[in-house]
Amino acid sequence: MNPKYTPESFNEFGRSFLPGHLGIQITEVSEGRVCAELPVQPHLLAPNGYLHAGSVVTLADTAAGYACVAHLPEGAHSFTTIELKSNHLGTARQGTIAVVATAVHLGRTTQVWDAVVTDKENGKTIALFRCTQMILYPKSA
């Protein structure tokens, strides 16, 4: 893991992009793990009044993506998500949702991350998420 990546550096990095716009806050960056939170606000809900699945996926994908960046192998400069899947088991209408992304596979060409999204107040699982990232290296001249 690259120690230059911290919750503060990722929060600043994402401030002007979708994670910052939605209100995602990274709370932990450690070996094989990134945690984040998202306060439930009206703009994150679907028209039916429940948390929009896209809001949940964005939280999980952000944690997994930042985790991938923090764990890039030597010589790699970036990544791109090549597959993601989520199972939605619950929802929230208020409070804060939290995610813990953990490494499943940290290879030279791919990484796989699992993320569990929960309701921070009661601990109930809202979604299970898995993504695969392709590691990108500079093109040789």
Side-chain angles (χ1 to χ4, degrees):
M1 186 188 102
N2 188 329
K4 79 176 187 179
Y5 295 109
T6 65
E8 296 77 20
S9 69
F10 277 132
N11 289 330
E12 181 59 31
F13 174 72
R15 184 179 318 278
S16 298
F17 299 98
L18 185 60
H21 176 73
L22 293 182
I24 294 172
Q25 288 293 305
I26 304 302
T27 59
E28 179 188 333
V29 179
S30 58
E31 188 64 43
R33 176 179 162 117
V34 167
C35 302
E37 295 181 353
L38 178 60
V40 177
Q41 299 293 321
H43 66 275
L44 300 175
L45 304 178
N48 65 4
Y50 291 99
L51 193 58
H52 194 288
S55 299
V56 175
V57 169
T58 301
L59 175 63
D61 189 53
T62 298
Y66 287 2
C68 182
V69 168
H71 292 80
L72 286 174
E74 187 174 330
H77 71 87
S78 193
F79 76 95
T80 188
T81 301
I82 57 175
E83 187 270 342
L84 61 80
K85 177 194 185 321
S86 61
N87 293 96
H88 297 263
L89 309 174
T91 193
R93 292 181 172 202
Q94 60 189 16
T96 299
I97 58 174
V99 65
V100 177
T102 55
V104 175
H105 169 72
L106 297 176
R108 285 203 40 78
T109 58
T110 60
Q111 291 187 8
V112 178
W113 290 85
D114 281 348
V116 178
V117 179
T118 59
D119 183 314
K120 186 177 175 184
E121 282 71 38
N122 62 27
K124 289 187 179 179
T125 300
I126 291 175
L128 304 173
F129 175 91
R130 174 170 275 190
C131 66
T132 304
Q133 288 113 346
M134 180 173 60
I135 307 302
L136 302 176
Y137 292 88
K139 292 185 180 188
S140 53

